Amino acid sequence: MSNSSNTNVKKKKSDAVAKYVLPLVFVSLLPVFWFRLCIDFKIEKYFPNLSQYSDAVDAVSALILFILLIFFFTFTIAYTIVAMKKHWSKSLDKFFTQITKPTVWFVIAILTVVVAEYKRFFVGCESDVIKLLLHNFYVSVIPCYCIVYFVILAVYICRKKIPDFKL
C-alpha cells in the first residue's frame, strides 16, 4: 500500500467519524442555545408592547424548547441507526458492534456526572465563562451519548437474542 493511499484511508476514517460526531454535538447543543437565548432576550426592551403578553411568550419559548428536545432525542436515535446501517467507516462499525468500548465511555460519562454533582463543580458557574461553557457541554453532550449508548446496547442485545436481526 502506498503512502498516499494509506493517508486517504485515514482521512476517510476520520471524515466518517466527524460526519457522525459533529452533527450530534450540534443537535445536542441546540436546546442549550435556545434556553440561553430565552434567558438573555429581554422582550420588554425590544418589544415594549408585547410585555403584557409575557406569559404567552414564555409559553411559546417553552413549546419551542420542548420541540427541540423531541428533535434532540429522535435525531440522535435515528442518526445513530443510520450510521449503523450505512457502515460509514470501519472504526464506527467496530465501535457500534462491540459493547465494551461504548460501555467504557458510558461509565466515564456517568462517573463524570457523579463527580461533578458530588463536588458541586458547576454551582455558580454563571460568572465563569469557561465553567459555563463546560456546563453547557456537560448538560447536552453527556445525555446525547447516553442515548447513543442505549441504541448501541439495544441493537447489541437484539443481535444476540434474534439470530436474523439485521441492521
Side-chain angles (χ1 to χ4, degrees):
M1 205 177 218
S2 71
N3 192 21
S4 66
S5 87
N6 202 9
T7 304
N8 287 340
V9 169
K10 286 182 182 177
K11 185 176 183 320
K12 183 179 177 187
K13 182 190 279 189
S14 66
D15 287 348
V17 172
K19 179 182 173 183
Y20 177 70
V21 171
L22 291 178
L24 282 178
V25 170
F26 176 74
V27 168
S28 68
L29 289 172
L30 279 177
V32 172
F33 289 141
W34 179 255
F35 188 71
R36 191 78 219 155
L37 179 71
C38 289
I39 287 175
D40 290 340
F41 187 71
K42 305 295 184 218
I43 192 165
E44 62 275 349
K45 179 180 176 185
Y46 299 107
F47 302 102
N49 295 337
L50 285 179
S51 64
Q52 62 187 349
Y53 304 111
S54 64
D55 290 340
V57 172
D58 290 345
V60 169
S61 296
L63 178 65
I64 292 172
L65 181 62
F66 181 70
I67 290 169
L68 283 173
L69 287 172
I70 290 173
F71 178 70
F72 165 76
F73 285 108
T74 56
F75 179 82
T76 304
I77 292 168
Y79 200 63
T80 301
I81 290 171
V82 167
M84 290 172 130
K85 276 185 174 182
K86 301 287 183 179
H87 305 287
W88 285 348
S89 75
K90 288 182 180 179
S91 58
L92 280 176
D93 284 345
K94 192 182 285 187
F95 185 76
F96 290 145
T97 55
Q98 55 178 292
I99 201 66
T100 55
K101 286 182 185 175
T103 303
V104 167
W105 281 105
F106 181 72
V107 168
I108 290 170
I110 297 302
L111 286 175
T112 302
V113 170
V114 168
V115 169
E117 294 302 319
Y118 177 74
K119 294 286 186 176
R120 300 177 52 89
F121 183 74
F122 294 115
V123 173
C125 68
E126 296 83 14
S127 60
D128 185 1
V129 174
I130 300 294
K131 266 191 168 180
L132 185 61
L133 180 68
L134 285 172
H135 179 261
N136 289 342
F137 198 73
Y138 162 82
V139 299
S140 60
V141 173
I142 289 180
C144 183
Y145 178 72
C146 291
I147 294 168
V148 168
Y149 175 74
F150 289 126
V151 170
I152 293 170
L153 183 64
V155 168
Y156 182 81
I157 291 170
C158 287
R159 284 182 179 154
K160 291 290 184 189
K161 298 289 182 186
I162 306 168
D164 297 335
F165 183 78
K166 298 286 184 203
L167 183 68

